[in-house]
Amino acid sequence: MAPDWVTAALLLLLVAATLILQGADGLAVYLHSGNDMTIMIKLGALDPRSCPMSVGTTYERELKINPREKKNVTFGCLTPEKYWNLVIERKIDCTAGLCPLGDILLEPVLPRLNRTFIWDVKAKKAVGLQLKFSMGLTQIAPGITCSEPATYTISSRIDEKMVKIGDFCISGSISQVKVQETAVVTLQLPANSKQIASGLRIESGPAIKRLCIIESVFHGENSTVLMSANYPSGFPNDQLMSWQFVIPSNLRAYVVFLNYTTAVCKWKEQKVEYYLPGSDSKGEVYSLHDAQPVHIPGGFNFSLQGCDQEPQNPRFLSLIFKVVVHYPQNERTCWDIRLCQKKPHFLVVPPSLTSLPIQVETFTWKLTAIENVNIELMSQKKLKQFLPTQKCNGSYSYAINGTTPGKVLSLGTFCPGGATEEIHIKNNVTVTLRTFGEQFASDSKSQDLKMFFMPAARRDYIFTVSPDPKSTVYLQTPDWREGFLPHATVSWNIRIPPQQFARLTFTQDWLGVTCESGEVSLHIEEQRPNLKKISFSEDQRLPKNLDLQHNFWVNITNCKPQAKQGLVVQYKVEFLPKKTGLAAIIGAVLGVIVGIAAIGLLVCCIKKKRRKETKKETQTPMVGVYNSDVNTQVPGKEGIFKKGRKDNESHVYAVIEDAMVYGHLLDSNSKPETAEVGVYRPFSGPMSTTPPSPPPIRKASKVPEVEESSLVPLSDNETYTFAHRTTEELMSKGDANVSGNGTVGKSLLENNEQEHAVDRL
């Protein structure tokens, strides 16, 4: 036999119902509640006059049985569940300490009315409550009924105001709901339900510092729909709500917003925030207008942050979204750069699919790389970027997307047969092949798109463009419909065919981008040292045309534009032949010939002039020979040079003609045969005792003794010599000082009065 205290405990936890009478007129029951329970019988959907409820002799339209009360209730029919509902509410107060929490039982009640069980739990402010459901739950939108005859409703309180977290059905991915301080759980069961356990377990835990956290666990491919608190009404003012998704790493997930509304904020910002695998601890923030993450590898967390709303504005924040979990399709992953670097992976539709009688419409490859590893796509046939005004020549195209954590960026649609040879992408990549036309079965045999895992590059996206000669290439920034990603970078490595130059034309200017942070910049740089480099910012107009002679880079860096603005740059590159035709060659040759002719003519003129001068000078040969034995004293004019050599500079040549110094360069016809040119030596021929007399010298006009007619002037090209007199003659004339050893102390031609009497020396 059980101890008395066990029986007492059971009486406190259970609601006892005893059948008193069952007859043709109705049903009588005896009810009493425990210490922490309240029982209420309320009207149902049908008119209760067909089944009245009475306590004793008094008819009641609603009955409340407080804790520790006993009531005898009689129903005036045998099917009271059609007219009356039973509500059993239990309050659990844990503010004084830890509660006897654990599995919550369902109290057996007779008669079997439509039942609603309410567990109202209150804990300390620093305590979080964990509501764990053994069977799993699925959230449903208001107005939707569960296929299973049981519905859970979870609520909490904020400043004594009830906030509804959501309605849930049994069986689903939701394993637990965490709330802060208070939790109100309601379970609705129909009268015919055989469920005897609540499936709910309540545990205490650390504070969560937010309204609630809903945890969903996925073991395979599945999807779930989730809603913000109070949906479809407004999310609580300035509150934070989170979802945790536990997903195996071999599965992928994506988020789709089915519907949302936004409030008018007077303080803070309404936003969503993701904590994705591999992202930093701060999370990645998005607005509700942004595209949401796709191809998320494994589990992640998601939060909705409300703002301080304008109380007078009727708009409010609400969100309903869907999470889809699936196995990766055609996914290639690199986990070790040493093993997969530069190893080609061919992106080709398997022949087993192309040979089917039904044509393949789409085929997707998902390419995943670890941190610091990039993905490069390459096509030897090259790709052509598809523009709305152009068409693809062929039966298929590639849609290439970069899957930045929490963001999808469309690099564009590309067709076979173009100028883009390589595409280097910093993040993970999704390539989707789309077919059109009946020729794909045969065209698929010529697919040559392949991918490589490469070391990380500095820029986010790099396109290598290798055009055919005399072609025109149209290029544009990625994600041109929505605008280039904020703070992203893109480069084009454009190669110019031989004997051609590139003409770059911007089809439009900056599209009114106003930066919230950072700045937009465009750099054009030829790939040779010290060549053309051009830069533009968002406040500068782009040039209409720009000619480049060598391979060049086009680099674009985006800022964070203001809301509803996006950076879009479109341009074309024409490749034209350089001016290297016959006319240019002939012109160059003629230029060289004219230059050579000019130089030759100049040389001839100079040579002819020198010949004339030489011929004139050689009529009386000019010889620069110094003869020390020639007497330079004018006969009969003794003492006319009275200064010694040290007293004048008559022995210094003021001018020596070129012909005298470079006489050996003259031709043989004009060179004197008997003279040695450019050599100074004493005269070695026969000498008489009487020194020879030099030709007469023109005297200055102030010397009246010599008549002009008696002088024979020296011509510019006359031959002249210098000779030294003997020491005895110099001594007798007094024209020089001679030392005792016979050395001449003073030179000839030292009288200043005679310096002006000589025209040329």
Side-chain angles (χ1 to χ4, degrees), residues 257 269-272 285-292 407:
F257 284 2
E269 180 184 2
Q270 52 195 353
K271 59 187 177 181
V272 293
V285 177
Y286 300 89
S287 72
L288 278 76
H289 306 288
D290 293 336
Q292 303 305 306
K407 187 75 84 171

Side-chain angles (χ1 to χ4, degrees), residues 173-178 213-217 243-246:
S173 63
I174 298 175
S175 60
Q176 65 174 314
V177 177
K178 300 176 183 179
I213 301 174
I214 299 177
E215 180 182 277
S216 291
V217 179
W243 291 264
Q244 292 180 336
F245 300 97
V246 180

Side-chain angles (χ1 to χ4, degrees), residues 293-438:
V294 297
H295 310 306
I296 302 172
F300 64 98
N301 295 345
F302 171 70
S303 296
L304 174 65
Q305 174 67 64
C307 66
D308 189 2
Q309 304 174 17
E310 286 285 354
Q312 304 301 324
N313 196 293
R315 292 173 55 183
F316 53 81
L317 173 63
S318 66
L319 172 64
I320 178 171
F321 63 97
K322 184 177 183 179
V323 176
V324 179
V325 177
H326 59 89
Y327 286 104
Q329 299 175 357
N330 306 310
E331 187 172 276
R332 287 174 172 82
T333 305
C334 175
W335 301 109
D336 190 341
I337 185 61
R338 295 171 299 177
L339 300 178
C340 58
Q341 182 178 358
K342 297 184 179 180
K343 179 181 178 181
H345 300 270
F346 292 91
L347 307 183
V348 178
V349 178
S352 59
L353 295 179
T354 58
S355 60
L356 293 175
I358 301 176
Q359 181 170 300
V360 176
E361 292 185 355
T362 62
F363 195 89
T364 301
W365 296 270
K366 296 175 182 177
L367 315 174
T368 306
I370 60 175
E371 188 176 1
N372 296 324
V373 176
N374 292 174
I375 293 173
E376 186 172 272
L377 302 176
M378 181 181 296
S379 173
Q380 293 181 350
K381 294 184 178 180
K382 304 177 186 177
L383 300 174
K384 175 182 178 182
Q385 189 168 12
F386 174 79
L387 299 178
T389 57
Q390 299 178 345
K391 294 182 179 180
C392 284
N393 296 324
S395 60
Y396 63 95
S397 64
Y398 297 103
I400 302 176
N401 295 325
T403 56
T404 306
K407 187 75 84 171
V408 177
L409 175 73
S410 172
L411 276 74
T413 300
F414 296 84
C415 312
T420 302
E421 187 174 15
E422 299 173 2
I423 304 176
H424 195 101
I425 306 167
K426 191 172 185 179
N427 302 300
N428 298 334
V429 180
T430 298
V431 180
T432 300
L433 179 142
R434 290 186 174 89
T435 64
F436 44 88
E438 299 178 354

Side-chain angles (χ1 to χ4, degrees), residues 463 465 475-477 490-494 552-554 556 571:
F463 296 83
V465 181
L475 302 169
Q476 60 190 8
T477 49
V490 59
S491 296
W492 289 268
N493 177 13
I494 301 178
F552 63 96
W553 287 96
V554 177
I556 296 178
Y571 63 96

Side-chain angles (χ1 to χ4, degrees), residues 240-268:
L240 175 64
M241 181 177 180
S242 299
W243 291 264
Q244 292 180 336
F245 300 97
V246 180
I247 304 172
S249 59
N250 65 325
L251 296 177
R252 301 294 178 262
Y254 64 88
V255 178
V256 179
F257 284 2
L258 303 178
N259 193 18
Y260 64 88
T261 60
T262 57
V264 177
C265 301
K266 69 176 183 179
W267 187 253
K268 294 187 178 180

Side-chain angles (χ1 to χ4, degrees), residues 493-500 524-534 548-554 578:
N493 177 13
I494 301 178
R495 299 169 179 173
I496 301 179
Q499 305 301 322
Q500 292 202 323
I524 301 171
E525 180 178 348
E526 288 188 309
Q527 298 176 18
R528 285 196 179 183
N530 303 320
L531 289 183
K532 187 178 294 184
K533 296 181 181 180
I534 305 173
L548 299 124
Q549 305 297 324
H550 307 282
N551 298 344
F552 63 96
W553 287 96
V554 177
K578 291 182 178 179

